[in-house]
Amino acid sequence: MDEHNRPIHTFQVCNVMEPNQNNWLRSNWISRQAAQKVYVELRFTLRDCNSIPWVSGTCKETFNLFYHETDEAHGVKFRPAQYTKIDTIAADESFTQMDLGDRILKLNTEVREVGPINRKGFYLAFQDIGACIALVSVRVYYKKCPFTLRNLASFPDTVPRVDSSSLVEVRGACVDHAEERDTPKLFCGADGDWLVPLGRCVCSVGYEEIDACRPGFYKAYAGNIKCSKCPPHSFSYGEASAICRCEKGFFRAEKDPPTMACTRPPSRPRNLMFNLNDTCLLLEWSPPSDTGGRRDLTYNVQCKRCGPEPDRCQQCEDELRFLPGPLGLTNATVTVVDFSAHANYTFEIESLNGVSDMSSFPRPVAIITVSTDQGGPSLVGALKKDWASPNSIALSWQQPEQTTLPIIDYEVKYYEKEHELLSYSSTRTKAPSVIVSGLKPATWYVFSVRTRTAAGYSSYSPKYEYETTGDCKYLRQSKVLFLLNQSFSVFSRCQWYFKAKMTSEDKRRANYQNGHVPYPGIKTYVDPDTYEDPTQAVHEFTKEIDPSRIRIERVIGAGEFGEVCSGRLRTPGKKEIAVAIKTLKGGYVERQRWDFLREASIMGQFDHPNIIRLEGVVTKSRPVMIVVEYMENGSLDSFLRQHDGHFTVIQLVGMLRGIASGMKYLSDMGYVHRDLAARNILVNSNLVCKVSDFGLSRVLEDDPEAAYTTTGGKIPIRWTAPEAISYRKFSSASDAWSYGIVMWEVMSYGERPYWEMSNQDVILSIEEGYRLPAPMGCPVALHQLMLHCWQKERNHRPKFTDIVSFLDKLIRNPSSLLPLVEDIQSQSDINLAQ
Ligand code: ADE
């Protein structure tokens, strides 16, 4: 009877009273199938010899398990000598007469590995040497990593290697309508578990994870993003559109990305004016009211010289000289020289943009006719600033020397330099001086003056730029900054003298002189490369671990220097903890050993809940190891891809808050990461995100995303701020740009920034002002923060402390996360339609 009191069939033997027992039971032939190693699970009961009287010499408490490999499935005669012993099997639990009486079943389960098996199949055999046994069941099985779908790739059933420490590398095949991004791979472990997912497939253009894009939507890049609504002024009628077509009258220039709205040529320039003196004619105008939705606005100037009859005009560009030139002007002004003194010139200014050539309509122009006969009122002399206060500027100028008619008054035109295009103000004065008031403190203004006589207005004087003074607070601040700058520059001149002799305290101070201002109570990071002897840096910032405290359990990945493993670390008096262990493989040179340990010397200086914690290093024995806390969910990018759509916005913002807090800590310490990206963030089982991958130049060597720039630097282009790409200006502000990209990666569940665009196209689009659009389901507040991080001017980007407090406010007030970018967009589409 089994434990549920149901009858079962067993093989039994119980010749415990007779000596020299040798009883055999043999299985049928068992096909090996795909297995190389098989497992045999035996369930049996065994009688305790002590509980049987008079059997002390003859009763046994073990039996033997054997196997024999053959290719033939039938007709093999049983010859015990051909059999190989697998093991002697003993019971953990044996039963007594009393147990029998109480109907207690003491069932034993034992598993043995058999292999490698090379023939087509095998027999199992059991040898009894005098025990009292009942064999209840024999289960023979092998382990395989089962067919699976991961990251849109399928992986076939795979049998592990016999050698349990090596993994089988398996390449996945992309599912229909998906294509390879990085070769999708999984590793099949000895226990039949799939490990270390690498690479992935992504949905082809025109497809999202379940469907083709609907009409009105498109998907231009392969990737696991959703189809997007057609950009403004474009449409798609059919399904699975890779791009949306432009509405009539709107166009897409050759280099415009498919995500960009369709645009049209600009309207004509406005407010065309001239300013004439003996040798120079200045033409000025305001930009068109409609730029067509583009930023690549330029102007062309054409000239006609007309005789007394206005219809008898001839082209005159070749007679005159235009500075900087007649075509492709980017500023709304041009200077004309070499003109005749008594002529009528008609100038036509046309505005153009990147799609002007695509439109068949004539280009709208602004026209002005200039007579170089200067009979009218004359220009005033140079404009001088007499004084300035925070809200006023006093100007004066010389009266025109000869005026045929009396001067009625002067008109002073002025505007804020930064807002040239928005509006201007004017004031009149009879005297050749004026106090312009109502101005903003510490702001640049542009002024020009013209004279009015009975014959009309003169042309405007050239423009003069003057600044109002700052208020007191501003003055104090700028003085402090000035003083700080002064002392920094004195330090930096002599810093190379003492670099080699510095203590770590000196080095901390040196960082400070390099531009980092330490915070009271916060340590400053010391660059381990400033040590003459790198071993000293390792010694100072890391703890040596005795390798006997480390137990390596499995390989979880491969780094540039060797395997990355998971395992356990014992510390006397403390609870054993899970750790990740990076190893340095043998055959390294000293330089590689230092490159490997540099990361530990950096990590060892940090102590923050959002920075990966260094437990210690092994340097006194081989292999050299770096031991860090174990992060159960691995790197953030693959974690998010595996859990696409699984988290609430608050959870995602919580992850971003953690990363920002870690980065705030690093920037407060004066450490610039240079390779902040979701792939370099690790996630633990509580979804806490921690910044990892330190090592300055080395991290970039390691990072598969880092590409060589034209100046020879190796940089992860998609994550890097423009000034760092162009002239290697890395700073906490460039880290803030990368943080914006990480925000985008998080909100899009691990999508690749800028999808399939080439690095070159990414650089050009950023330069032209293109920025990543909000991912699906992204709250407006978060996309606004991303855009803030991607400001071209690095000083305008938020500091990490601002980012942390902003995210904290969102978390405290979750309703601020409700407006989604797509909701706002569709509402504005409805408004437009109405
Ligand atoms: N891979 C690299 N470092 C790791 C860590 N600390 N935990 C888990 N996986 C890792």
Side-chain angles (χ1 to χ4, degrees):
M1 296 295 181
D2 69 6
E3 55 270 52
H4 307 292
N5 231 5
R6 287 180 303 225
I8 47 174
H9 292 180
T10 64
F11 290 95
Q12 297 189 6
V13 62
C14 198
N15 300 341
V16 288
M17 306 248 180
E18 293 149 45
N20 305 327
Q21 290 298 303
N22 187 17
N23 308 309
W24 288 81
L25 172 69
R26 193 200 70 178
S27 70
N28 290 337
W29 185 81
I30 302 167
S31 161
R32 149 168 95 86
Q33 301 180 16
Q36 297 187 358
K37 179 157 81 172
V38 293
Y39 296 82
V40 180
E41 182 200 83
L42 307 175
R43 293 199 308 148
F44 60 94
T45 60
L46 199 132
R47 178 85 186 254
D48 179 359
C49 289
N50 289 332
S51 71
I52 316 173
W54 318 118
V55 294
S56 61
T58 51
C59 177
K60 301 286 185 308
E61 290 184 351
T62 60
F63 62 96
N64 298 320
L65 177 64
F66 289 80
Y67 80 111
H68 171 50
E69 289 184 58
T70 69
D71 286 327
E72 297 95 63
H74 302 286
V76 178
K77 280 195 82 182
F78 177 63
R79 291 200 193 89
Q82 290 176 326
Y83 279 68
T84 311
K85 182 162 168 183
I86 299 170
D87 207 355
T88 300
I89 312 287
D92 291 333
E93 304 241 32
S94 49
F95 66 87
T96 60
Q97 192 65 38
M98 210 140 67
D99 297 327
L100 268 183
D102 296 344
R103 306 187 69 79
I104 294 172
L105 186 73
K106 292 203 167 161
L107 201 57
N108 295 280
T109 305
E110 293 287 328
V111 180
R112 294 293 180 272
E113 286 177 23
V114 188
I117 296 187
N118 300 313
R119 298 278 168 88
K120 287 188 188 154
F122 57 94
Y123 293 95
L124 290 176
F126 306 85
Q127 184 194 24
D128 163 54
I129 46 170
C132 188
I133 332 165
L135 190 56
V136 175
S137 74
V138 178
R139 195 163 73 90
V140 179
Y141 60 92
Y142 65 93
K143 294 185 183 174
K144 67 179 183 189
C145 297
F147 169 88
T148 187
L149 284 174
R150 272 292 166 100
N151 296 333
L152 296 183
S154 66
F155 296 84
D157 275 350
T158 303
V159 179
R161 294 238 161 82
V162 182
D163 160 20
S164 55
S165 65
S166 66
L167 309 175
V168 184
E169 181 181 317
V170 182
R171 203 183 152 139
C174 294
V175 300
D176 288 350
H177 304 304
E179 56 202 60
E180 258 185 33
R181 173 61 54 74
D182 303 318
T183 311
K185 281 187 202 161
L186 279 176
F187 292 82
C188 177
D191 285 337
D193 300 324
W194 289 111
L195 306 170
V196 203
L198 298 177
R200 66 202 170 106
C201 301
V202 292
C203 295
S204 302
V205 294
Y207 286 87
E208 57 188 9
E209 221 166 87
I210 300 178
D211 259 329
C213 302
R214 286 178 286 140
F217 286 74
Y218 76 108
K219 189 167 158 259
Y221 302 105
N224 296 342
I225 38 162
K226 300 261 180 296
C227 299
S228 308
K229 209 158 182 269
C230 286
H233 305 299
S234 68
F235 62 91
S236 67
Y237 284 139
E239 296 208 320
S241 297
I243 194 159
C244 298
R245 286 178 36 211
C246 290
E247 288 166 8
K248 198 152 179 254
F250 287 85
F251 310 91
R252 214 174 251 131
E254 205 187 316
K255 287 204 167 152
D256 288 352
T259 47
M260 186 167 147
C262 292
T263 53
R264 62 180 169 190
S267 58
R268 68 170 56 83
R270 293 171 304 139
N271 309 330
L272 176 56
M273 295 188 293
F274 73 91
N275 207 325
L276 180 66
N277 69 20
D278 288 351
T279 51
C280 249
L281 168 63
L282 183 74
L283 297 177
E284 285 184 290
W285 57 93
S286 311
S289 54
D290 176 7
T291 59
R294 308 184 61 89
R295 291 168 191 235
D296 51 359
L297 187 67
T298 58
Y299 307 96
N300 290 344
V301 187
Q302 279 192 332
C303 168
K304 280 188 215 147
R305 187 172 172 176
C306 302
E309 301 104 63
D311 53 340
R312 305 244 347 234
C313 297
Q314 60 193 37
Q315 296 298 115
C316 48
E317 287 96 30
D318 297 343
E319 296 169 25
L320 308 181
R321 236 171 0 112
F322 294 86
L323 303 172
L327 303 178
L329 298 166
T330 49
N331 289 330
T333 172
V334 67
T335 303
V336 187
V337 289
D338 297 349
F339 51 82
S340 310
H342 301 282
N344 281 340
Y345 292 101
T346 299
F347 294 96
E348 292 185 359
I349 316 283
E350 62 179 16
S351 19
L352 296 97
N353 65 17
V355 294
S356 292
D357 285 343
M358 299 177 166
S359 165
S360 49
F361 287 107
R363 293 182 191 159
V365 291
I367 303 179
I368 197 165
T369 300
V370 180
S371 165
T372 52
D373 262 334
Q374 295 185 44
S378 318
L379 273 169
V380 300
L383 245 66
K384 207 158 79 9
K385 181 177 89 174
D386 295 331
W387 51 261
S389 71
N391 302 107
S392 317
I393 292 184
L395 300 171
S396 59
W397 55 90
Q398 280 193 334
Q399 301 196 29
E401 270 165 19
Q402 293 159 345
T403 47
T404 34
L405 292 170
I407 291 170
I408 301 172
D409 59 13
Y410 300 94
E411 188 190 32
V412 182
K413 181 175 106 168
Y414 61 96
Y415 50 83
E416 224 181 282
K417 191 176 174 202
E418 279 229 325
H419 300 148
E420 177 170 3
L421 312 181
L422 298 181
S423 65
Y424 66 81
S425 311
S426 66
T427 177
R428 287 178 185 284
T429 164
K430 287 192 183 307
S433 61
V434 70
I435 297 176
V436 182
S437 50
L439 306 180
K440 289 190 203 158
T443 306
W444 284 92
Y445 286 87
V446 178
F447 300 90
S448 65
V449 178
R450 62 180 178 173
T451 320
R452 186 159 65 117
T453 65
Y457 283 105
S458 72
S459 39
Y460 276 104
S461 70
K463 293 174 175 175
Y464 290 82
E465 297 179 6
Y466 294 117
E467 191 188 13
T468 49
T469 56
D471 57 18
C472 299
K473 188 172 91 212
Y474 180 80
L475 258 180
R476 240 181 288 124
Q477 258 178 14
S478 51
K479 268 193 190 145
V480 172
L481 278 179
F482 173 74
L483 289 175
L484 280 174
N485 283 342
Q486 289 274 305
S487 32
F488 287 156
S489 60
V490 172
F491 279 129
S492 58
R493 248 178 283 137
C494 51
Q495 82 182 8
W496 60 271
Y497 281 117
F498 54 87
K499 179 173 164 186
K501 294 218 176 64
M502 283 190 292
T503 63
S504 62
E505 241 343 284
D506 294 334
K507 286 172 208 289
R508 286 207 169 93
R509 253 177 266 133
N511 274 358
Y512 162 30
Q513 289 142 19
N514 287 337
H516 168 65
V517 183
Y519 287 75
I522 296 187
K523 263 197 322 192
T524 297
Y525 157 76
V526 179
D527 179 354
D529 279 325
T530 56
Y531 281 76
E532 243 177 328
D533 173 11
T535 331
Q536 207 199 328
V538 178
H539 184 70
E540 188 157 347
F541 298 123
T542 68
K543 273 191 289 193
E544 182 75 22
I545 297 180
D546 185 335
S548 65
R549 288 173 45 208
I550 302 171
R551 190 171 77 241
I552 296 184
E553 281 175 341
R554 55 171 62 210
V555 180
I556 54 173
E560 195 207 342
F561 294 97
E563 275 95 40
V564 182
C565 306
S566 61
R568 317 278 303 171
L569 176 70
R570 274 184 297 105
T571 307
K574 286 203 187 145
K575 225 176 111 195
E576 186 175 90
I577 57 164
V579 285
I581 303 139
K582 292 187 180 185
T583 57
L584 174 62
K585 56 176 174 259
Y588 52 81
V589 294
E590 197 44 36
R591 162 93 220 159
Q592 287 165 320
R593 181 181 134 98
W594 167 234
D595 279 346
F596 178 71
L597 288 172
R598 179 194 286 116
E599 180 171 21
S601 315
I602 294 172
M603 231 188 299
Q605 298 183 46
F606 304 142
D607 177 15
H608 187 272
N610 297 101
I611 306 290
I612 196 84
R613 191 182 64 250
L614 177 76
E615 294 297 338
V617 291
V618 177
T619 61
K620 302 216 165 108
S621 60
R622 301 287 164 270
V624 174
M625 295 188 244
I626 298 178
V627 182
V628 299
E629 66 180 303
Y630 184 64
M631 301 292 284
E632 293 80 355
N633 283 312
S635 60
L636 178 60
D637 61 335
S638 49
F639 175 65
L640 289 171
R641 281 181 212 125
Q642 281 160 16
H643 297 89
D644 195 352
H646 283 193
F647 300 114
T648 61
V649 169
I650 285 287
Q651 280 176 306
L652 296 176
V653 176
M655 296 182 201
L656 289 172
R657 198 262 177 213
I659 302 166
S661 171
M663 289 306 298
K664 170 178 162 12
Y665 175 82
L666 293 182
S667 67
D668 288 349
M669 280 192 73
Y671 179 80
V672 178
H673 190 290
R674 295 176 175 222
D675 197 11
L676 177 60
R679 64 183 167 280
N680 291 332
I681 303 292
L682 291 167
V683 188
N684 74 11
S685 55
N686 296 321
L687 293 194
V688 177
C689 289
K690 306 201 182 194
V691 182
S692 81
D693 272 67
F694 302 97
L696 297 168
S697 55
R698 191 191 62 69
V699 288
L700 299 178
E701 295 305 319
D702 251 7
D703 188 337
E705 279 295 348
Y708 287 99
T709 59
T710 47
T711 47
K714 213 177 172 210
I715 283 175
I717 300 288
R718 282 153 215 272
W719 282 264
T720 305
E723 74 277 6
I725 297 176
S726 319
Y727 51 99
R728 302 192 127 249
K729 178 73 199 157
F730 286 96
S731 60
S732 292
S734 62
D735 278 351
W737 177 292
S738 315
Y739 179 81
I741 303 287
V742 173
M743 286 186 71
W744 191 90
E745 290 184 275
V746 169
M747 296 314 294
S748 60
Y749 281 93
E751 183 49 66
R752 180 174 171 74
Y754 311 97
W755 306 279
E756 296 295 274
M757 285 167 73
S758 68
N759 280 344
Q760 201 48 37
D761 283 349
V762 170
I763 294 173
L764 286 175
S765 323
I766 291 295
E767 190 49 42
E768 281 174 11
Y770 172 76
R771 296 292 183 270
L772 282 168
M776 285 287 284
C778 178
V780 177
L782 293 179
H783 191 231
Q784 293 286 322
L785 178 57
M786 294 177 204
L787 294 173
H788 204 25
C789 293
W790 300 329
Q791 302 217 49
K792 187 172 174 52
E793 169 55 51
R794 66 174 188 279
N795 295 319
H796 293 173
R797 293 174 206 151
K799 307 277 174 288
F800 281 108
T801 182
D802 308 325
I803 298 177
V804 174
S805 26
F806 182 76
L807 295 178
D808 279 342
K809 280 195 198 119
L810 297 184
I811 293 169
R812 279 199 300 271
N813 177 14
S815 61
S816 58
L817 291 163
L818 290 180
L820 304 186
V821 174
E822 58 258 37
D823 297 342
I824 303 274
Q825 275 166 357
S826 47
Q827 189 53 48
S828 70
D829 289 351
I830 292 169
N831 292 347
L832 276 179
Q834 284 167 353

